[in-house]
């Protein structure tokens, strides 16, 4: 997901993180300078839904204005497809153990 806080704020004539930080504090969300810096100029790893509600309320926006999907990044994180080559006549097929969950017992 792409984080677009600065863009959403700029569209509402908010150009400084300190200005938004003050507005959020007035709405009941106190954010430290370090966390505000990460929200403003970084890509937060997590954000609380309660905090997202207040940010959206202050900016008059929807969550999809702040978060944009990046499906190409999600596809890039998928493991490469593995396949078992067909067995050659006279050879025993090689069975490879796969990592991850197995099927439940029947």
């Amino acid at each position: 997901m792409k984080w677009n806080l600065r863009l959403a704020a700029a569209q509402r004539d908010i150009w400084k993180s300190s200005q938004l930080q003050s507005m959020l504090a007035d709405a009941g969300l106190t954010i430290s300078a370090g966390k505000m810096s990460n929200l403003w100029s970084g890509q937060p790893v997590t954000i609380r839904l309660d905090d997202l509600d207040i940010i959206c309320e202050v900016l008059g926006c929807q969550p999809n204005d702040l978060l944009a999907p990046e499906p190409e990044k999600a596809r890039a994180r998928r493991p490469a497809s593995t396949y078992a080559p067909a067995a050659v006549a006279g050879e025993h097929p090689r069975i490879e153990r796969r990592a991850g969950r197995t099927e439940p017992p029947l």
Side-chain angles (χ1 to χ4, degrees):
M1 297 297 274
K2 183 174 181 180
W3 181 243
N4 292 319
L5 179 64
R6 286 179 86 163
L7 177 61
Q11 290 172 339
R12 289 144 184 92
D13 290 327
I14 300 169
W15 302 102
K16 294 183 179 182
S17 65
S18 58
Q19 182 183 1
L20 180 59
Q21 186 177 16
S22 175
M23 294 170 73
L24 293 171
D26 291 344
L29 178 59
T30 304
I31 297 179
S32 68
K35 183 175 179 181
M36 189 65 211
S37 175
N38 187 38
L39 289 175
W40 187 256
S41 59
Q43 182 78 14
V45 175
T46 61
I47 185 161
R48 293 184 50 194
L49 295 178
D50 293 344
D51 294 352
L52 188 59
D53 266 342
I54 294 173
I55 292 169
C56 287
E57 179 185 330
V58 167
L59 292 177
C61 68
Q62 297 296 315
N64 61 345
D65 296 328
L66 298 173
L67 296 166
E70 295 180 302
E72 63 281 353
K73 284 188 178 180
R75 282 191 289 276
R77 290 186 60 173
R78 288 185 189 152
S81 175
T82 58
Y83 69 95
V88 177
E91 289 184 12
H92 294 290
R94 195 171 93 197
I95 300 173
E96 295 183 22
R97 185 173 180 90
R98 295 183 191 165
R101 280 180 84 162
T102 61
E103 293 291 321
L106 297 174

